[in-house]
Amino acid sequence: MNFDALPLEDPAAQARLHARLVADAEREGLLDLAYRTVDTPVGSLLLAATPVGLVRVVYENVGHDAELTRLTETVSPRVLHAPARLDTVAWQLDEYFAGRRTAFDVPLDLRLARGFRLAVVEHLPAIQYGRTETYAQVAAAAGSPKAVRAVGTACATNPVPVVVPCHRVVRSDGSFGGYAGGRDAKRTLLTLEAA
């Protein structure tokens, strides 16, 4: 056989092999974590899902590669770029950024949030589109009225921002406060929802 005649790189063949790998892993129950990226008005977002649901949304400034490495350590090392598992999330994000969706309806896997942080994350979808709550209001709603600073930490570590709207939490004076995606991203999201 003449190995010089074989192409060194064949993108179409690689795509077919990858699709087969994903299909085989899904069929055998070996795909614990699927991921893809989507381009949005707030930058590229990494989406990751387990068979249970969406487990992570990551802003580019956080570092997609670093987060994928962390997810292999905290969720599972069986990770593949398998965009199809995240098609519904991507589609709903497109609708949201186009102003045609006010709430997300996708299964969530909130295993990365625990204790009080989980209580905060579970409360956040109750903050209606176009509205905000203060850190103090969220602390009270999550069952610990004095845990205002802890609400800030819970929002900063929200594993699924945008889909679970931590951007709707503001300081008592109405100023934005911090945000994992940066202040510009928070401003963009709140401006979109106010339109």
Coordinates of all heavy atoms in Angstrom, one line a residue, residues 71-119:
L71 N -14.6 20.5 34.4 CA -15.7 19.7 34.3 C -15.3 18.2 34.2 O -16.0 17.3 34.7 CB -16.6 20.0 33.1 CG -17.4 21.3 33.3 CD1 -18.0 21.8 32.0 CD2 -18.4 21.2 34.4
T72 N -14.2 17.9 33.6 CA -13.7 16.5 33.5 C -13.3 16.0 34.9 O -13.4 14.8 35.2 CB -12.5 16.3 32.6 OG1 -11.4 17.0 33.1 CG2 -12.8 16.7 31.2
E73 N -13.0 16.9 35.8 CA -12.6 16.6 37.2 C -13.8 16.5 38.1 O -13.8 15.8 39.0 CB -11.6 17.6 37.7 CG -10.3 17.6 36.9 CD -9.4 18.8 37.2 OE1 -9.8 19.7 37.9 OE2 -8.3 18.9 36.6
T74 N -14.8 17.4 37.8 CA -16.0 17.5 38.8 C -17.2 16.7 38.3 O -18.0 16.3 39.1 CB -16.4 19.0 39.0 OG1 -16.7 19.5 37.7 CG2 -15.3 19.7 39.7
V75 N -17.4 16.5 37.0 CA -18.5 15.8 36.5 C -18.2 14.4 35.9 O -18.6 13.4 36.4 CB -19.3 16.7 35.4 CG1 -20.5 15.9 34.8 CG2 -19.8 18.0 36.0
S76 N -17.3 14.4 34.9 CA -16.9 13.1 34.3 C -15.8 13.4 33.3 O -15.8 14.4 32.6 CB -18.1 12.5 33.6 OG -17.7 11.3 32.9
P77 N -14.9 12.4 33.2 CA -13.9 12.6 32.1 C -14.4 12.1 30.7 O -13.7 12.3 29.7 CB -12.8 11.6 32.6 CG -13.5 10.6 33.4 CD -14.6 11.3 34.1
R78 N -15.6 11.6 30.7 CA -16.2 11.2 29.4 C -16.9 12.4 28.8 O -18.1 12.5 28.9 CB -17.1 10.0 29.6 CG -16.3 8.8 30.1 CD -17.0 7.5 30.2 NE -18.3 7.5 30.9 CZ -18.9 6.4 31.3 NH1 -18.4 5.2 31.1 NH2 -20.1 6.5 31.9
V79 N -16.2 13.2 28.0 CA -16.6 14.4 27.5 C -16.4 14.4 26.0 O -15.4 14.0 25.5 CB -15.9 15.6 28.1 CG1 -16.3 16.9 27.4 CG2 -16.0 15.7 29.6
L80 N -17.4 14.8 25.2 CA -17.3 14.9 23.7 C -18.0 16.2 23.2 O -19.0 16.6 23.8 CB -17.9 13.7 23.0 CG -17.1 12.5 23.0 CD1 -18.0 11.3 22.4 CD2 -15.9 12.6 22.2
H81 N -17.4 16.7 22.2 CA -18.1 17.8 21.5 C -19.3 17.1 20.7 O -19.1 16.4 19.8 CB -17.1 18.5 20.5 CG -17.7 19.6 19.7 ND1 -18.1 19.4 18.4 CD2 -18.1 20.8 20.1 CE1 -18.7 20.6 18.0 NE2 -18.6 21.4 19.0
A82 N -20.5 17.3 21.3 CA -21.7 16.7 20.8 C -22.8 17.7 20.7 O -23.7 17.8 21.6 CB -22.1 15.5 21.6
P83 N -22.7 18.6 19.7 CA -23.6 19.8 19.7 C -25.1 19.4 19.7 O -25.9 20.1 20.3 CB -23.3 20.5 18.4 CG -22.0 20.0 18.0 CD -21.8 18.6 18.6
A84 N -25.5 18.3 19.1 CA -26.9 17.9 19.0 C -27.6 17.9 20.4 O -28.8 18.3 20.5 CB -27.1 16.6 18.3
R85 N -26.9 17.4 21.4 CA -27.5 17.3 22.7 C -27.9 18.7 23.2 O -28.8 18.8 24.1 CB -26.6 16.6 23.7 CG -27.3 16.4 25.1 CD -26.4 15.8 26.1 NE -26.2 14.4 26.0 CZ -25.4 13.7 26.8 NH1 -24.8 14.3 27.8 NH2 -25.3 12.4 26.5
L86 N -27.3 19.7 22.7 CA -27.5 21.1 23.2 C -28.3 21.9 22.2 O -28.4 23.2 22.3 CB -26.2 21.7 23.6 CG -25.6 21.0 24.8 CD1 -24.1 20.9 24.6 CD2 -26.0 21.8 26.0
D87 N -28.9 21.3 21.1 CA -29.6 22.1 20.1 C -30.8 22.9 20.7 O -31.0 24.1 20.4 CB -30.2 21.2 19.0 CG -29.1 20.7 18.0 OD1 -28.0 21.3 18.0 OD2 -29.4 19.8 17.2
T88 N -31.5 22.3 21.6 CA -32.7 23.0 22.2 C -32.2 24.3 23.0 O -32.8 25.3 22.9 CB -33.5 22.1 23.1 OG1 -34.0 21.0 22.3 CG2 -34.7 22.8 23.7
V89 N -31.1 24.1 23.8 CA -30.6 25.2 24.5 C -30.1 26.3 23.6 O -30.4 27.5 23.8 CB -29.5 24.8 25.5 CG1 -28.9 26.0 26.2 CG2 -29.9 23.7 26.4
A90 N -29.4 25.9 22.5 CA -28.9 26.9 21.6 C -30.0 27.6 20.9 O -30.0 28.9 20.7 CB -28.0 26.2 20.6
W91 N -31.0 26.9 20.5 CA -32.2 27.5 19.8 C -32.9 28.5 20.8 O -33.3 29.6 20.4 CB -33.1 26.4 19.4 CG -34.5 26.8 18.9 CD1 -34.8 27.4 17.8 CD2 -35.7 26.5 19.6 NE1 -36.1 27.6 17.7 CE2 -36.7 27.1 18.7 CE3 -36.1 25.9 20.7 CZ2 -38.1 27.0 19.1 CZ3 -37.4 25.8 21.1 CH2 -38.4 26.4 20.2
Q92 N -33.1 28.1 22.1 CA -33.7 29.0 23.0 C -32.9 30.2 23.3 O -33.4 31.3 23.5 CB -34.1 28.2 24.3 CG -35.2 27.3 24.1 CD -35.8 26.7 25.4 OE1 -35.6 27.2 26.5 NE2 -36.5 25.6 25.2
L93 N -31.6 30.1 23.3 CA -30.7 31.3 23.5 C -30.9 32.2 22.3 O -30.9 33.4 22.5 CB -29.3 30.8 23.6 CG -28.9 30.3 25.0 CD1 -27.5 29.6 25.0 CD2 -28.8 31.5 26.0
D94 N -30.9 31.6 21.1 CA -31.1 32.5 19.9 C -32.4 33.3 20.0 O -32.5 34.5 19.7 CB -31.2 31.6 18.6 CG -29.8 31.2 18.2 OD1 -28.8 31.7 18.6 OD2 -29.8 30.2 17.3
E95 N -33.5 32.6 20.4 CA -34.8 33.2 20.6 C -34.7 34.3 21.7 O -35.3 35.4 21.5 CB -35.9 32.2 21.0 CG -36.3 31.3 19.9 CD -37.5 30.5 20.3 OE1 -37.7 30.1 21.5 OE2 -38.3 30.2 19.4
Y96 N -34.0 34.0 22.8 CA -33.9 35.0 23.9 C -33.2 36.3 23.4 O -33.7 37.4 23.6 CB -33.1 34.4 25.0 CG -32.7 35.3 26.1 CD1 -33.6 35.8 27.0 CD2 -31.4 35.8 26.1 CE1 -33.2 36.7 28.0 CE2 -31.0 36.7 27.1 CZ -31.9 37.2 28.1 OH -31.6 38.1 29.0
F97 N -32.1 36.1 22.7 CA -31.3 37.3 22.2 C -32.0 38.0 21.1 O -31.8 39.2 20.9 CB -29.9 36.9 21.8 CG -29.0 36.6 23.0 CD1 -28.6 35.3 23.3 CD2 -28.6 37.7 23.8 CE1 -27.8 35.1 24.4 CE2 -27.8 37.4 25.0 CZ -27.4 36.2 25.3
A98 N -32.9 37.3 20.4 CA -33.8 38.0 19.4 C -35.0 38.7 20.0 O -35.8 39.3 19.3 CB -34.2 37.0 18.3
G99 N -35.2 38.6 21.3 CA -36.3 39.2 22.0 C -37.6 38.4 21.9 O -38.7 39.0 22.1
R100 N -37.5 37.2 21.5 CA -38.7 36.3 21.3 C -38.9 35.3 22.4 O -39.9 34.5 22.4 CB -38.7 35.6 20.0 CG -38.7 36.5 18.7 CD -38.8 35.8 17.4 NE -37.9 34.7 17.3 CZ -36.7 34.7 16.7 NH1 -36.2 35.9 16.3 NH2 -35.9 33.7 16.6
R101 N -38.1 35.3 23.4 CA -38.2 34.4 24.5 C -37.9 35.1 25.8 O -37.0 35.8 25.9 CB -37.2 33.2 24.4 CG -37.2 32.2 25.5 CD -36.4 31.0 25.3 NE -37.1 30.1 24.3 CZ -38.1 29.3 24.6 NH1 -38.5 29.2 25.9 NH2 -38.7 28.5 23.7
T102 N -38.8 34.9 26.8 CA -38.6 35.5 28.1 C -38.2 34.6 29.2 O -37.9 35.0 30.3 CB -39.9 36.3 28.5 OG1 -41.0 35.4 28.6 CG2 -40.2 37.4 27.5
A103 N -38.3 33.3 29.0 CA -37.9 32.3 30.0 C -37.4 31.0 29.2 O -37.8 30.8 28.1 CB -39.1 31.9 30.9
F104 N -36.6 30.3 29.9 CA -36.0 29.1 29.3 C -36.8 27.9 29.8 O -37.2 27.8 31.0 CB -34.5 29.0 29.6 CG -33.7 30.0 28.9 CD1 -33.5 31.3 29.5 CD2 -33.2 29.8 27.7 CE1 -32.8 32.3 28.9 CE2 -32.4 30.8 27.0 CZ -32.2 32.0 27.6
D105 N -36.9 26.9 28.9 CA -37.6 25.7 29.3 C -36.7 24.5 28.8 O -37.0 23.9 27.8 CB -39.0 25.7 28.5 CG -39.8 24.4 28.9 OD1 -39.5 23.8 29.9 OD2 -40.6 24.0 28.0
V106 N -35.7 24.3 29.6 CA -34.7 23.2 29.3 C -34.5 22.5 30.6 O -34.5 23.1 31.7 CB -33.4 23.7 28.7 CG1 -33.7 24.2 27.3 CG2 -32.7 24.6 29.5
P107 N -34.2 21.2 30.6 CA -33.9 20.5 31.8 C -32.5 21.0 32.3 O -31.6 21.2 31.5 CB -33.8 19.0 31.4 CG -34.1 18.9 30.0 CD -34.3 20.3 29.5
L108 N -32.4 21.1 33.6 CA -31.2 21.6 34.3 C -30.6 20.5 35.1 O -31.3 19.7 35.8 CB -31.4 22.8 35.1 CG -32.0 24.0 34.4 CD1 -32.3 25.1 35.4 CD2 -31.0 24.5 33.3
D109 N -29.3 20.4 35.2 CA -28.6 19.6 36.1 C -27.8 20.5 37.0 O -26.8 21.1 36.6 CB -27.6 18.6 35.4 CG -26.8 17.7 36.3 OD1 -26.7 18.0 37.5 OD2 -26.3 16.7 35.8
L110 N -28.3 20.8 38.2 CA -27.7 21.8 39.1 C -26.7 21.1 40.1 O -26.5 21.7 41.2 CB -28.8 22.5 39.8 CG -29.7 23.3 38.9 CD1 -30.8 24.0 39.7 CD2 -28.9 24.4 38.1
R111 N -26.1 20.1 39.8 CA -25.2 19.4 40.7 C -24.0 20.2 41.1 O -23.3 20.0 42.1 CB -24.7 18.1 40.1 CG -23.7 18.2 39.0 CD -23.1 17.0 38.5 NE -24.0 16.3 37.7 CZ -23.9 15.1 37.2 NH1 -22.8 14.4 37.5 NH2 -24.8 14.5 36.4
L112 N -23.7 21.3 40.4 CA -22.5 22.1 40.7 C -22.8 23.2 41.7 O -21.9 24.0 42.1 CB -21.9 22.7 39.4 CG -21.4 21.7 38.4 CD1 -21.0 22.4 37.1 CD2 -20.3 20.9 39.0
A113 N -24.1 23.3 42.1 CA -24.5 24.3 43.1 C -25.0 23.5 44.3 O -25.8 22.5 44.2 CB -25.6 25.2 42.6
R114 N -24.6 23.9 45.5 CA -24.9 23.2 46.7 C -25.3 24.1 47.8 O -24.9 25.3 47.8 CB -23.8 22.3 47.2 CG -23.5 21.2 46.3 CD -22.3 20.3 46.8 NE -21.9 19.3 45.8 CZ -21.1 19.4 44.8 NH1 -20.6 20.6 44.5 NH2 -20.9 18.4 44.0
G115 N -26.1 23.6 48.8 CA -26.4 24.4 50.0 C -27.1 25.7 49.7 O -28.0 25.7 48.9
F116 N -26.7 26.8 50.3 CA -27.3 28.1 50.1 C -27.2 28.5 48.7 O -28.1 29.1 48.1 CB -26.7 29.1 51.1 CG -27.4 30.4 51.0 CD1 -28.7 30.7 51.4 CD2 -26.7 31.5 50.4 CE1 -29.3 31.9 51.3 CE2 -27.3 32.8 50.3 CZ -28.6 33.0 50.7
R117 N -26.1 28.2 48.0 CA -25.9 28.6 46.6 C -27.0 28.0 45.8 O -27.5 28.6 44.9 CB -24.5 28.2 46.1 CG -23.4 29.1 46.8 CD -22.0 28.7 46.3 NE -21.0 29.4 47.0 CZ -19.7 29.3 46.7 NH1 -19.3 28.5 45.8 NH2 -18.8 30.0 47.4
L118 N -27.3 26.7 46.0 CA -28.3 26.0 45.3 C -29.7 26.7 45.6 O -30.5 26.9 44.6 CB -28.4 24.6 45.7 CG -29.5 23.7 45.0 CD1 -29.4 23.8 43.5 CD2 -29.5 22.3 45.5
A119 N -30.0 27.1 46.8 CA -31.2 27.8 47.1 C -31.3 29.1 46.4 O -32.4 29.4 45.9 CB -31.3 28.0 48.6

